[in-house]
Amino acid sequence: MAGTFTTRTITITTSSTETLHDLTNACSAFLREAAHGHNGLLNIFTRHATSGLAVIETGAGSDDDLLAALRDVLPTDDRSQDHPRSPGHSIARMLPALVPPHATLPVVEGELELGASQSVVLVNTDRDNPERQVRLSFLS
């Protein structure tokens, strides 16, 4: 049986602050349409220099802990080589080195294979651009 490849780009509206946006439901909805109960891989990719993807537990304080840790490692003060109109941006562009812009996850019988407390999240540190595109691709 030949493999199939299906892809779609979704637009996520975040906020004007550093944030995590849960993509788990969007991934599951995409797989209901694309996987048809088959096994395969879901690749998730964001093409933005100031956002990344993570698989973490949400809602138990991990969201805030991750953002606080990123603020410690990537401070938005005068240490960066920023353009004067966008303070903190050059440091924020280092985010994908710590939180990659992609994730590849197993799909079993059409369902995303995550642990009971795991979620797929978009990590966005750009306060100036509240709209992000995320590409979802299923390969079976």
Side-chain angles (χ1 to χ4, degrees):
M1 176 179 179
T4 61
F5 177 78
T6 305
T7 189
R8 172 179 306 142
T9 299
I10 60 173
T11 300
I12 305 299
T13 302
T14 58
S15 69
S16 60
T17 62
E18 298 154 330
T19 187
L20 272 60
H21 183 87
D22 194 332
L23 298 175
T24 310
N25 289 338
C27 291
S28 294
F30 170 71
L31 289 172
R32 280 192 294 278
E33 296 175 24
H36 305 290
H38 292 112
N39 298 333
L41 296 172
L42 174 67
N43 182 266
I44 309 156
F45 175 74
T46 181
R47 61 181 180 85
H48 302 280
T50 57
S51 62
L53 296 158
V55 177
I56 66 167
E57 179 179 4
T58 57
S62 301
D63 318 47
D64 293 334
D65 290 343
L66 176 57
L67 290 174
L70 290 172
R71 276 186 225 106
D72 287 345
V73 175
L74 304 173
T76 57
D77 58 20
D78 60 3
R79 286 179 257 185
S80 67
Q81 303 297 315
D82 285 325
H83 187 281
R85 289 190 319 247
S86 60
H89 255 288
S90 65
I91 292 290
R93 287 187 187 104
M94 293 173 50
L95 176 75
L98 302 172
V99 181
H102 56 86
T104 301
L105 303 170
V107 176
V108 177
E109 297 179 358
E111 299 285 329
L112 194 55
E113 182 89 348
L114 290 172
S117 298
Q118 290 180 317
S119 296
V120 180
V121 297
L122 174 71
V123 181
N124 183 46
T125 59
D126 187 349
R127 297 178 306 256
D128 297 332
N129 185 354
E131 198 165 273
R132 297 285 175 216
Q133 282 74 49
V134 175
R135 177 166 294 281
L136 306 175
S137 302
F138 175 70
L139 177 65
S140 69

